[in-house]
Amino acid sequence: MNTQVGKLFVISGSSGVGKGTLLKELLLQHPDLNLSTSATTRHPRPGEIDGVNYFFVKKEDFLNSVKNEEFLEWTEFNGNYYGTKEAYVKKTLSKGENLILEIETKGALQIKSKLPDAILIFILPPSLEELEHRLRGRNTEDEESIQNRLNEAKREIECSKNYDYRVVNDDLKKALKELEEIINKNLNK
Ligand code: ADP
Ligand code: 5GP
């Protein structure tokens, strides 16, 4: 029987900073890492697949799961709910498998208080101007959502002081290397 508990990594960073881009590369090189799929009430963006990018659920169903205490953490972000199911996290870790949660800061701090061994990594933009440029360049948000996400970004960057590690995503390759070093160091502990 496998008695080793898997490692839990929590990755946060302002919307548009490049988390998705970095994680895609990281997971290609690390088949020993699993990425958790969150539930959300947000509408899918073009190309997003239910059960892959998120479990896209109705608000009523999300709130029922909250009532039934199914979430390890959940929050409201930019007018929508997002959450991580507790059963999936506990099951994965107890099998000795490593898990990454890509979630925002309020959820990350809920995780740290419940599972203090979780490793929190925050991805920073080189500047707020570059963050806005990337968010607009991605072409997925309307103006209101862009403004909300930029306001959230300032709050989240302040909150990142509570994280174990901070990585600046300026040059993609350099940021990926730094992220990998943090992951490898903690996997080998
Ligand atoms: P997030 O998942 O954090 O919201 P994305 O991964 O969707 O962000 O990245 C937002 C945009 O920024 C994408 O168009 C992506 O190609 C671009 N991007 C990501 N990392 C970099 C980087 N280091 N330099 C320049 N552009 C980047
Ligand atoms: P997006 O709408 O861009 O996919 O995600 C918006 C924000 O919600 C991002 O910061 C993302 O990391 C965060 N997020 C995604 N899933 C979860 C989750 O399950 N819990 C929490 N707390 N945040 C999440």
Side-chain angles (χ1 to χ4, degrees):
M1 203 176 98
N2 190 350
T3 52
Q4 198 190 334
V5 175
K7 293 269 163 54
L8 180 61
F9 296 94
V10 178
I11 300 196
S12 306
S14 319
S15 188
V17 75
K19 299 179 299 295
T21 310
L22 281 165
L23 283 175
K24 204 171 138 203
E25 290 294 322
L26 184 77
L27 292 167
L28 279 177
Q29 291 161 30
H30 269 277
D32 53 340
L33 296 172
N34 300 282
L35 183 64
S36 167
T37 306
S38 298
T40 184
T41 59
R42 144 162 109 55
H43 292 299
R45 294 180 185 133
E48 283 186 329
I49 299 168
D50 187 33
V52 176
N53 304 91
Y54 282 104
F55 294 107
F56 294 100
V57 299
K58 290 197 215 105
K59 190 172 170 185
E60 185 192 339
D61 293 336
F62 191 100
L63 292 175
N64 262 329
S65 294
V66 171
K67 206 164 72 187
N68 295 331
E69 299 184 352
E70 290 169 30
F71 289 114
L72 184 58
E73 64 75 32
W74 68 277
T75 196
E76 189 177 355
F77 180 92
N78 191 26
N80 293 301
Y81 294 117
Y82 296 80
T84 307
K85 287 279 173 80
E86 179 161 14
Y88 171 72
V89 173
K90 296 253 158 104
K91 192 171 135 206
T92 306
L93 295 178
S94 68
K95 281 194 285 185
E97 292 178 10
N98 307 307
L99 187 60
I100 297 187
L101 308 182
E102 192 251 271
I103 64 176
E104 55 68 65
T105 49
K106 288 183 215 151
L109 297 181
Q110 290 175 50
I111 296 281
K112 192 73 177 176
S113 71
K114 288 185 179 171
L115 303 173
D117 288 342
I119 299 129
L120 268 53
I121 307 169
F122 193 88
I123 313 293
L124 285 162
S127 66
L128 284 173
E129 289 73 25
E130 172 62 16
L131 180 67
E132 181 167 356
H133 179 71
R134 286 186 197 169
L135 201 48
R136 290 188 186 282
R138 196 174 65 183
N139 238 336
T140 55
E141 311 302 317
D142 61 23
E143 188 56 33
E144 190 188 355
S145 175
I146 288 176
Q147 291 308 329
N148 286 341
R149 282 165 189 264
L150 288 173
N151 284 332
E152 279 292 325
K154 290 177 200 152
R155 185 191 60 73
E156 291 209 304
I157 289 170
E158 193 53 34
C159 188
S160 74
K161 290 172 186 155
N162 299 308
Y163 277 57
D164 299 304
Y165 301 94
R166 303 205 291 174
V167 174
V168 179
N169 182 19
D170 189 351
D171 176 69
L172 188 65
K173 272 196 182 146
K174 192 166 155 273
L176 184 62
K177 187 163 170 272
E178 246 181 85
L179 185 58
E180 268 205 287
E181 279 168 6
I182 293 168
I183 302 267
N184 286 333
K185 190 165 85 182
N186 283 281
L187 284 181
N188 294 327
K189 260 187 190 166

